[in-house]
Amino acid sequence: MNPSLSLRSTSSFSPPFAPAPPSLSSSRLPSHVCLSKCKRSVGRSDLVVRNALSGREHKSDGSPSSPNNIFSQEAIGAEYGEGFETFRMDGPLKVDVDYLNNKLQQCFLQRIRHAMKPDEAFGLIFSWDNVVADSHSLKMAAWRQLASEEGKELPNSEHMQRNMLRLSADHVLAKVLFWSREETEIERLKSRLSELYYENLQNLDVPVKGLKEWLDAVYTAGIPCAVVSCLDRRYMVDALDRMGLKKYFQSIVTEEDGMESIAHRFLSAAVKLDRKPSKCVVFEDDPRGITAAHNCTMMAVALIGAHPAYELVQADLAVAKYSELSVINLRRLFGPKETKFMDLQKKIIDKSPPKRKLRVDTI
């Protein structure tokens, strides 16, 4: 079997302009997966189902019964180009950045198609937080509801609220809000905070301003898109459906994919889109996500808002809103690296040598 073909991955939503490639599971699954068991919790009637992919428990209504990475600071990943490990019939396979750039090469027919339509050679990867949806408002609403239930007060300082959104829930509860230092109490508060977030997520039906118009332009150009997040897949698909964005994303990466860092999610999205990491563009609003994109040899477009512009200087392109973008901006990102493409440059004009003057009359 050709190793380049074994890396094609099935997307969650089939693109309207390309057939779905063969599947590849990038999660850490053993060769023999046992069926999940169902059990009843003590003193409660909720049915708890163990998720075989993520190893977390879910209640009968589908909401996770244990906190996930929503309120934690995830690792950047791929600092040295390392990737993740997947399992195939012939054994485990380590997938890193260089491996994907070498193996996800375009076939002959793809090269011909991309020569006629160069925009389709790119792949766009959108982060969920503050790029697709206003997750900061959802998180702050969950913190306010938790404080109301516990009879606590949240600080009004903008600096404190920014720390609540950026730092992990363990650190915020113990060292910022000083609500508790007991591990069991912190775990209880984290679990309730996650439940409140998912409850608020079910009412979300409006994307970030200008995103739908930008996705319409990208969809018309035939560029495949993916969205990555640490949310549960069911909640992610339902939220995209309510916002009317489901048809624009050919693949999604969620917690069920088992990725351990931000960079691993980007690499998994590149595999699902069937695009080399070096041909992908990541849309992020966090400097950590921009660093993860560059570690994966991807381009990064920063959305100014949650972080000020001076914290996003490492991005290849920074915009305040989606209306400032056009498809030509994507082409410029992959332009010549020696000079700033499309910028005014000084041109050296070669001066012709002076003409020789005749000083002697030859007549």
Side-chain angles (χ1 to χ4, degrees):
M1 179 184 292
N2 190 349
S4 63
L5 296 178
S6 64
L7 283 173
R8 305 296 188 259
S9 173
T10 303
S11 59
S12 298
F13 312 116
S14 299
F17 42 79
S23 61
L24 167 70
S25 175
S26 56
S27 58
R28 296 178 177 273
L29 286 177
S31 57
H32 56 285
V33 179
C34 300
L35 294 176
S36 58
K37 296 182 179 180
C38 297
K39 60 180 180 179
R40 291 192 176 273
S41 57
V42 179
R44 300 180 64 179
S45 60
D46 291 340
L47 184 64
V48 180
V49 181
R50 175 74 61 176
N51 190 320
L53 286 175
S54 60
R56 300 196 303 109
E57 293 182 352
H58 290 254
K59 296 181 180 179
S60 57
D61 60 353
S63 60
S65 61
S66 59
N68 53 12
N69 296 328
I70 298 175
F71 291 91
S72 63
Q73 198 171 33
E74 297 181 88
I76 296 177
E79 285 83 0
Y80 301 98
E82 69 274 10
F84 53 87
E85 187 178 51
T86 183
F87 289 84
R88 299 192 303 177
M89 296 299 295
D90 53 352
L93 173 66
K94 292 185 178 181
V95 178
D96 55 16
V97 177
D98 293 336
Y99 184 87
L100 292 178
N101 279 325
N102 292 332
K103 297 301 180 180
L104 289 177
Q105 298 289 344
Q106 299 174 355
C107 65
F108 177 71
L109 294 179
Q110 284 180 330
R111 287 198 297 269
I112 296 177
R113 180 179 180 85
H114 294 167
M116 296 184 295
K117 297 182 178 181
D119 296 330
E120 294 185 8
F122 307 136
L124 306 187
I125 302 174
F126 292 81
S127 177
W128 170 263
D129 292 336
N130 305 307
V131 176
V132 176
D134 186 8
S135 61
H136 277 193
S137 299
L138 296 176
K139 291 181 180 180
M140 284 306 304
W143 277 112
R144 294 190 185 97
Q145 293 174 355
L146 181 64
S148 177
E149 293 178 359
E150 299 295 326
K152 305 287 186 179
E153 292 185 1
L154 292 179
N156 296 325
S157 172
E158 183 179 354
H159 176 71
M160 296 288 289
Q161 292 183 0
R162 189 182 301 112
N163 289 335
M164 291 171 57
L165 295 173
R166 297 182 182 180
L167 301 177
S168 62
D170 305 65
H171 185 85
V172 172
L173 291 170
K175 299 182 179 181
V176 178
L177 300 178
F178 302 102
W179 285 4
S180 177
R181 290 185 177 273
E182 297 181 3
E183 185 176 353
T184 56
E185 181 66 11
I186 290 179
E187 290 297 326
R188 183 189 69 83
L189 294 174
K190 285 171 54 181
S191 178
R192 180 55 182 162
L193 188 64
S194 178
E195 293 175 4
L196 293 173
Y197 180 87
Y198 277 105
E199 291 176 3
N200 297 332
L201 182 61
Q202 294 180 6
N203 300 323
L204 179 66
D205 57 357
V206 178
V208 173
K209 185 178 180 180
L211 174 62
K212 195 167 185 178
E213 291 76 12
W214 168 241
L215 290 177
D216 273 328
V218 170
Y219 186 81
T220 304
I223 306 177
C225 300
V227 58
V228 300
S229 174
C230 60
L231 297 176
D232 286 65
R233 184 176 299 272
R234 186 176 71 88
Y235 281 89
M236 169 74 76
V237 175
D238 291 344
L240 292 175
D241 196 10
R242 288 193 302 271
M243 292 186 291
L245 304 178
K246 185 176 179 180
K247 69 173 184 177
Y248 298 113
F249 295 105
Q250 284 71 54
S251 63
I252 63 174
V253 179
T254 58
E255 188 181 11
E256 283 77 5
D257 290 276
M259 299 294 104
E260 298 179 348
S261 64
I262 304 174
H264 290 178
R265 286 197 180 95
F266 292 160
L267 292 177
S268 178
V271 172
K272 290 186 177 185
L273 291 177
D274 194 19
R275 296 294 184 270
K276 297 193 299 182
S278 59
K279 284 293 185 180
C280 291
V281 181
V282 174
F283 289 79
E284 261 285 357
D285 77 311
D286 195 334
R288 296 170 56 84
I290 296 173
T291 302
H294 287 166
N295 290 346
C296 298
T297 68
M298 300 179 181
M299 296 294 177
V301 176
L303 206 63
I304 303 172
H307 292 263
Y310 62 82
E311 293 183 3
L312 305 172
V313 293
Q314 58 181 333
D316 300 286
L317 178 65
V319 295
K321 49 188 176 181
Y322 282 107
S323 59
E324 300 178 6
L325 290 173
S326 63
V327 178
I328 192 64
N329 295 129
L330 303 179
R331 302 178 188 175
R332 291 176 179 177
L333 291 177
F334 297 94
K337 300 297 186 299
E338 292 79 13
T339 60
K340 293 184 177 180
F341 186 55
M342 297 295 290
D343 285 355
L344 295 176
Q345 301 291 334
K346 292 182 178 180
K347 184 177 180 181
I348 300 176
I349 302 176
D350 296 333
K351 295 182 179 181
S352 58
K355 296 181 179 180
R356 184 171 60 89
K357 294 181 180 181
L358 296 177
R359 298 182 179 275
V360 180
D361 189 2
T362 58
I363 298 176

